[in-house]
Amino acid sequence: MAEQTCYEGSAVQSFQFYLEHSGEHKAILQHIPDILPGEFKRIAADKSSLDVMGVGSGGGEVDVKILTMLQSTLPAVPITADIVEGSSELTDNFRALVAKTTNLQKIPFVWHIMSSEDYERQVKAKGDMKRFDFIHMIQMIYYVDSLNDTIKFYHSLLKNNGTLMIIIETADGGWDTLWKTYKKDLCVHPITEYRSSSEVIACVKSQGLKYEEHIIPNSFDITECFNPGSPTGERLLNYMTAKDNFNESFTPETRAGILDLLKNKCSTEKDGRVLFNSTMSCILIHA
């Protein structure tokens, strides 16, 4: 992941491995049906069409479900989708997913293969802002240069009654505890400043924006991280510390400290398994 802020090459495999192991997308997809249909109806009041934007959408697994949910909530309303994603590899995966999802054939997609900051620069240079009814940023706000500028810009793209949805790890969860405790060791490229829901909410409040927060509970098994030589454990530790090789990236003391923290402060034990707390926060910011 050196010198890049989006997933390409081996980082794509690492990301996909994490998604499969953590059940993160499954947890999001389990909980957004309780949150979004009512929100879509509110957004769509008195509108004849809806424009949706996904920022940092990756392979589109969650986007496809969101768009399908929007279609089934408002079957008579035409939808457009703009996707901003810096990884060409993941965008190809997203396009392939759209191609085999019959109900999405009616939706015109515009693909912007660039970072969220590059999209912002492009829009400002053109002076031609397309506005959106619903914009979502799922597990991507860690990678932006300026949290404040990003929220301000994408919020400015919302139409009347629009919503910006940010899904991020929750404050005081396992990720927050790990990355803030070992800030100086972990906060290097590509993530130079770790953010959880507390930073996002503080930023939203400082801009005087209206928001609501919904919790998405999740945990996943990291028992293998404590089994020396376990390939699964090594891959998880590499991903969780954003390193190519956990064992070679830290001193023995730091490695031992991270493992101790993971087991005793970031997780719970159940039936002899270590379950990492990866609860997420879904923040809806209103226009």
Side-chain angles (χ1 to χ4, degrees), residues 7 28 32 146 175 264:
Y7 294 123
I28 292 170
I32 55 175
S146 166
W175 287 100
N264 296 310

Side-chain angles (χ1 to χ4, degrees), residues 111-174:
W111 306 94
H112 309 272
I113 304 175
M114 61 186 74
S115 70
S116 60
E117 286 95 349
D118 283 344
Y119 179 79
E120 180 179 344
R121 281 188 279 272
Q122 181 178 291
V123 166
K124 286 177 173 172
K126 279 185 182 171
D128 171 25
M129 284 199 192
K130 178 177 176 181
R131 295 188 184 275
F132 297 90
D133 300 285
F134 183 65
I135 300 174
H136 59 81
M137 302 175 145
I138 297 171
Q139 291 289 49
M140 61 72 67
I141 208 91
Y142 317 103
Y143 296 97
V144 303
D145 294 334
S146 166
L147 181 62
N148 191 62
D149 292 352
T150 298
I151 290 176
K152 191 172 183 180
F153 171 71
Y154 284 95
H155 184 267
S156 77
L157 299 185
L158 290 175
K159 290 194 221 173
N160 184 36
N161 278 350
T163 295
L164 169 61
M165 178 177 83
I166 297 174
I167 295 181
I168 187 170
E169 298 296 334
T170 194
D172 304 320

